[in-house]
Amino acid sequence: MQQKQRTTVDILKALDKSNCKECGSPTCLAFAALVIQGKKTLRECPHLSEEAIQALGGDGVGKKGKDDDTRDEQFERLMEEFSGVDFEEAAERIGATVHGGRLGISCLGKIFELDRQGNLYSGCHVNLWVHGPLLDYATHSAGRQLTGDWVPFGDLEQAKDWARFFSHRCEQGMKQIVDDDPDFFFDALSIFSPTPVGQKTGKPFSSADHVTVVYPMPKVPLMIAYWCADAEFESKLTLFFDRSAEVNLGAESIYALVRGMVEMFTRIFSTHGLD
Ligand code: SF4
């Protein structure tokens, strides 16, 4: 079905019009015009919700820009590199399985399968954000043992370029979901992880009201630490990674993966419920 042609005004209406410049454009209007010209993508505005992006036709709105081409090229390169992966070797290295000629990787407790061409299969709704990180994980992960040293995303080497985006879209995005009902959110997370880590540990997150570990990839655990609001402070959410995350999955793929999780949690917690 042909997508409705969008205009600069359509894009502008969806923006918050704060002219905050975080997208690198001087105003929201300038940003909207650049999106239509294909020189910017909607996701470069950190204040635009996933729902708004989808309502505008996704990130493909506007002409294809250099960034899109770069992303496409990166994805194609990943697919090509993945075609050379030895499934048996990879399964051992990254904690996956081989079944029926496909590499099965557990992502948040669900098995996602990749065939030899890199196509993705899953019994649940396939989240496209997961596809690139899975290919990257299978192809490039060092499969290093966990160190037990939990660090925030920004402390990972090579994460510096992504830290601001990660804070906005991943930590703030997840915090907004959790803020609605923290007890319910963390109870519900047991669907994705049987490994609650509620005990006090003496680490920076030991004062958190909720601490849970989930496994977006077998060797890339993610610790979600949440501090409830009180009379003095707003609520806070920080995501911690094992120090090995930077060799088990690159910073860009970690960012994409957690973005995908936030998108998925938004859908589950706000639309369908958990049944
Ligand atoms: S980041 Fe978003 S809200 Fe801020 S100026 Fe750019 S388009 Fe407008």
Side-chain angles (χ1 to χ4, degrees), residues 15-16 18-23 28 31 45-47:
L15 298 171
D16 74 8
S18 62
N19 299 330
C20 68
K21 303 185 179 63
E22 286 179 46
C23 57
C28 293
F31 174 80
C45 169
H47 305 288

Side-chain angles (χ1 to χ4, degrees), residues 113-126:
E113 293 181 323
L114 293 165
D115 68 14
R116 296 266 168 210
Q117 288 71 44
N119 299 307
L120 182 63
Y121 305 85
S122 165
C124 61
H125 173 70
V126 173

Side-chain angles (χ1 to χ4, degrees), residues 40-232:
K40 289 268 186 195
T41 62
L42 293 171
R43 287 198 168 85
E44 288 177 70
C45 169
H47 305 288
L48 206 49
S49 70
E50 193 57 36
E51 287 69 30
I53 291 171
Q54 294 308 326
L56 287 166
D59 235 357
V61 71
K63 288 182 203 153
K64 254 180 145 211
K66 194 165 165 289
D67 288 350
D68 290 323
D69 288 340
T70 305
R71 261 195 290 273
D72 286 351
E73 280 165 21
Q74 282 170 343
F75 190 76
E76 273 169 30
R77 197 173 63 241
L78 271 176
M79 292 281 271
E80 200 179 310
E81 288 169 347
F82 178 80
S83 67
V85 166
D86 175 338
F87 277 16
E88 300 295 338
E89 180 279 327
E92 195 164 331
R93 175 170 45 87
I94 64 174
T97 56
V98 182
H99 185 67
R102 291 179 182 171
L103 189 65
I105 303 172
S106 173
C107 176
L108 295 172
K110 302 273 181 223
I111 299 295
F112 286 78
E113 293 181 323
L114 293 165
D115 68 14
R116 296 266 168 210
Q117 288 71 44
N119 299 307
L120 182 63
Y121 305 85
S122 165
C124 61
H125 173 70
V126 173
N127 181 332
L128 292 177
W129 283 86
V130 168
H131 198 171
L134 281 169
L135 290 170
D136 194 12
Y137 180 65
T139 310
H140 298 119
S141 175
R144 194 78 52 81
Q145 289 301 313
L146 303 183
T147 65
D149 181 17
W150 292 96
V151 294
F153 181 77
D155 281 12
L156 297 174
E157 272 180 43
Q158 300 153 17
K160 305 283 181 279
D161 289 349
W162 294 94
R164 187 166 61 87
F165 294 109
F166 187 86
S167 169
H168 262 296
R169 304 223 54 126
C170 300
E171 290 177 320
Q172 286 302 316
M174 200 176 292
K175 186 180 99 61
Q176 278 174 17
I177 302 167
V178 180
D179 280 345
D180 275 348
D181 191 339
D183 290 334
F184 177 68
F185 179 87
F186 282 93
D187 281 350
L189 271 194
S190 59
I191 290 172
F192 303 105
S193 168
T195 323
V197 184
Q199 69 271 32
K200 304 291 181 192
T201 62
K203 297 275 171 63
F205 41 78
S206 65
S207 61
D209 296 296
H210 296 273
V211 183
T212 293
V213 175
V214 292
Y215 282 78
M217 303 270 162
K219 294 194 173 179
V220 188
L222 164 66
M223 181 180 283
I224 305 171
Y226 180 80
W227 289 260
C228 296
D230 60 24
E232 224 177 321

